[in-house]
Amino acid sequence: MTRFAAVRILRTLLTLIVSVSITFVVLRASGDAALQILGPNARAPDIAAFRREWGLDQPIWVQYVLYLRNLLHGDLGKSMLDGQDALAIVLARVAVTLQLTLPALAVNILLGIPAGICSALYRDTVVDRSLMIASVIGFTVPSFVLALILILVFSVWLGVLPSGGADSLASGVLPIATLGIGGAAVLARYTKSAMVAVLGRLHITAASAKGIRWKNVVRNHAFPNAAIPIVTLFGLMLGSQIAGSVLIEAVFGWPGIGQLLVTSVANRDLAVVQVILLLVTATMTVSNLLVDVLYGFIDPRMRHA
């Protein structure tokens, strides 16, 4: 178990290092932050002074080495716009983003898994076809299109929900629904596929032949065996929800890290962008690490192996 954990943690650290390195190089190779922040009318001496202050006048490999050294000491840099700590700026927005992503994950589970199980139990019926048609629509419609449709229906036509902002609980309904519907649709299809595969196995038939009530067969035998691919998918969704919130927050004007990322990229605020991408990568890699650990609790065969 120690070796298993060490290998997974090492992979996680390598993934973070590669992500940080790619982000660092791409951000600095894609344009001059000094020109973007100071504006096209800035004087040459001011631009040169800005580059010296933030170390942008040094070769990129020197900047990279200094960045890694500071990163190892817990220094993630400061915002080039106002000099504030970049990590503090991002963490202030994380709580706002979690107000969307956590309820959206709950919607994924509460809608997606029951819909998938129901579709598998009533396979090739009207119920199955209806649920699968709804799931296909849910994951094929782009999130920004779904967001605009929800705004059109509930904000413009019905006038029952606000179209943006974060002023009240009602403001979060549409962005949460946008994030939750797409994820629930994907989860429903994976759940159905996993359940159909398990329900056709001999031990399910044997359990039914013993006279065990069907709902107990499904709950105690079928679903635990089908949970492996579902947990794998959910681990990926856990990290991708934060990444997916970037576009949704921009559409609804939600002041989370997604909106912060858009404005920071536009303003070339390098340290803030790097912290956000590092946070997203860490969330995805750590969630996958937790999924690997959960496998042992879900499937005893993997724990014994």
Side-chain angles (χ1 to χ4, degrees):
M1 189 63 187
T2 302
R3 181 175 179 273
F4 169 83
V7 171
R8 293 301 188 276
I9 293 173
L10 179 60
R11 289 180 180 176
T12 301
L13 293 176
L14 289 176
T15 302
L16 290 175
I17 292 173
V18 171
S19 174
V20 165
S21 302
I22 293 175
T23 302
F24 185 91
V25 173
V26 169
L27 285 175
R28 282 156 180 76
S30 59
D32 191 343
L35 291 175
Q36 182 66 32
I37 293 175
L38 297 179
N41 298 324
R43 298 181 306 164
D46 294 334
I47 294 176
F50 184 91
R51 288 171 177 161
R52 285 195 302 270
E53 179 183 359
W54 294 100
L56 300 176
D57 58 334
Q58 301 182 25
I60 191 170
W61 68 269
V62 175
Q63 297 180 46
Y64 178 68
V65 171
L66 292 175
Y67 175 73
L68 287 183
R69 186 192 66 183
N70 294 334
L71 190 64
L72 292 175
H73 288 85
D75 182 6
L76 299 181
K78 299 183 182 298
S79 170
M80 292 182 177
L81 297 178
D82 53 19
Q84 295 185 37
D85 184 72
L87 181 60
I89 294 174
V90 174
L91 290 180
R93 299 288 191 100
V94 167
V96 182
T97 294
L98 290 178
Q99 293 175 9
L100 292 184
T101 54
L102 293 181
L105 285 171
V107 172
N108 294 162
I109 296 172
L110 295 177
L111 290 183
I113 293 180
I117 294 174
C118 185
S119 184
L121 295 178
Y122 296 95
R123 188 181 181 188
D124 296 329
T125 65
V126 175
V127 174
D128 176 28
R129 295 189 184 95
S130 300
L131 289 173
M132 288 301 100
I133 289 174
S135 68
V136 168
I137 296 173
F139 77 80
T140 54
V141 174
S143 59
F144 69 92
V145 174
L146 179 59
L148 295 176
I149 292 174
L150 293 178
I151 290 174
L152 181 64
V153 174
F154 294 98
S155 299
V156 179
W157 291 350
L158 300 178
V160 295
L161 292 172
S163 61
D167 302 325
S168 63
L169 291 175
S171 301
V173 173
L174 293 184
I176 289 172
T178 305
L179 283 171
I181 289 173
V186 175
L187 197 57
R189 293 188 64 83
Y190 270 82
T191 302
K192 179 197 173 181
S193 299
M195 285 293 294
V196 168
V198 171
L199 290 173
R201 294 177 182 173
L202 291 177
H203 72 280
I204 300 297
T205 305
S208 300
K210 291 179 181 179
I212 301 176
R213 297 178 64 181
W214 180 239
K215 69 176 184 179
N216 293 332
V217 173
V218 173
R219 182 182 60 195
N220 299 327
H221 299 276
F223 183 70
N225 283 277
I228 295 296
I230 297 173
V231 170
T232 302
L233 176 64
F234 187 74
L236 296 174
M237 292 173 62
L238 185 63
S240 64
Q241 283 282 15
I242 294 181
S245 68
V246 172
L247 186 57
I248 302 304
E249 289 182 3
V251 172
F252 288 99
W254 190 267
I257 62 172
Q259 190 182 77
L260 178 63
L261 177 61
V262 173
T263 56
S264 299
V265 170
N267 294 326
R268 307 293 299 166
D269 198 353
L270 303 182
V272 175
V273 176
Q274 288 168 179
V275 171
I276 294 175
L277 296 181
L278 179 62
L279 175 65
V280 172
T281 305
T283 303
M284 298 189 72
T285 53
V286 171
S287 62
N288 288 331
L289 178 63
L290 293 177
V291 166
D292 287 341
V293 175
L294 283 175
Y295 282 165
F297 293 97
I298 296 173
D299 192 339
R301 294 171 301 179
M302 293 188 175
R303 183 165 63 247
H304 294 316

